[in-house]
Amino acid sequence: MPSRYAPDASDLALTQHPWRGKTIVELGSGTGLIGFLVAKLGVGCTTWITDQIPMLPLMEENAALNPDMVDPCHVAELNWGEPVPADVPAKPDVILMADCVYREEAFQPLVDTLCMMATATTEILFCYHKRRRADKRFFGLLKKHFHYDNVSDDNEVRRKAYQTSGTFLMRFTKR
């Protein structure tokens, strides 16, 4: 039976989803929205939403407000640039990031964390809103260790609308 959060998905689509059985870590989760959505889809993965200590109470409260998650979703502290804590997968299959590049002093620690956690086979998806020229510095640091491309959208009109507004979905691959 499809998840109520993916009502158009067939049982086959959910059981054959590429993230089935995978470990997924969201970096800089903030409220935890992206990780909660993944857990609610019911594809058969385990998700960790991570951020710094000040964000943990909000993420834990939001997790408690979402008891209907189909797949496990864990809240954990992860400070970029520091060793990955024991309660977070050190080498997840998938890393998700959404709107987490806005403080220049965090660029290098974020790239360092990606380098620690990613392997050549890690799928890294990054939703990014272009804000200012300083963001180019992040991509300069990133390209030393990763290849990156825009993710194709099957709807050209939608893709153009996102990009016109300055929003991009990108895929990173470790060199």
Side-chain angles (χ1 to χ4, degrees):
M1 163 177 224
S3 161
R4 72 181 197 148
Y5 300 101
D8 296 327
S10 67
D11 289 340
L12 184 61
L14 291 173
T15 60
Q16 293 184 352
H17 192 280
W19 290 355
R20 186 165 195 76
K22 304 286 183 167
T23 57
I24 299 174
V25 173
E26 182 187 6
L27 298 177
S29 301
T31 62
L33 177 64
I34 302 302
F36 295 147
L37 175 62
V38 170
K40 285 185 173 210
L41 287 175
V43 300
C45 60
T46 304
T47 303
W48 280 260
I49 57 172
T50 67
D51 213 313
Q52 296 179 313
I53 284 179
M55 296 307 298
L56 296 184
L58 176 61
M59 293 189 312
E60 289 167 348
E61 180 180 347
N62 287 343
L65 292 170
N66 287 278
D68 54 348
M69 287 184 273
V70 179
D71 293 331
C73 185
H74 307 281
V75 175
E77 177 186 5
L78 193 155
N79 295 302
W80 300 343
E82 296 180 9
V84 178
D87 61 339
V88 176
K91 301 289 182 188
D93 300 299
V94 179
I95 297 173
L96 302 175
M97 300 178 293
D99 200 30
C100 60
V101 176
Y102 51 88
R103 290 183 47 219
E104 244 185 292
E105 62 272 15
F107 292 174
Q108 186 64 58
L110 176 55
V111 171
D112 292 345
T113 296
L114 287 169
C115 287
M116 281 186 266
M117 296 182 81
T119 69
T121 61
T122 306
E123 181 173 10
I124 305 170
L125 295 173
F126 174 63
C127 184
Y128 161 72
H129 185 80
K130 186 176 181 181
R131 289 185 172 84
R132 59 202 196 294
R133 289 183 183 214
D135 296 348
K136 288 183 180 181
R137 183 169 164 264
F138 171 73
F139 288 100
L141 295 168
L142 187 73
K143 75 179 180 182
K144 295 175 185 175
H145 308 281
F146 295 87
H147 298 284
Y148 54 90
D149 296 304
N150 286 319
V151 173
S152 309
D153 190 318
D154 59 353
N155 182 315
E156 188 66 18
V157 173
R158 184 174 50 212
R159 184 192 62 76
K160 284 183 180 178
Y162 290 150
Q163 289 183 346
T164 300
S165 74
T167 302
F168 300 86
L169 178 59
M170 306 179 87
R171 178 174 282 116
F172 301 164
T173 308
K174 193 168 187 181
R175 292 184 182 269

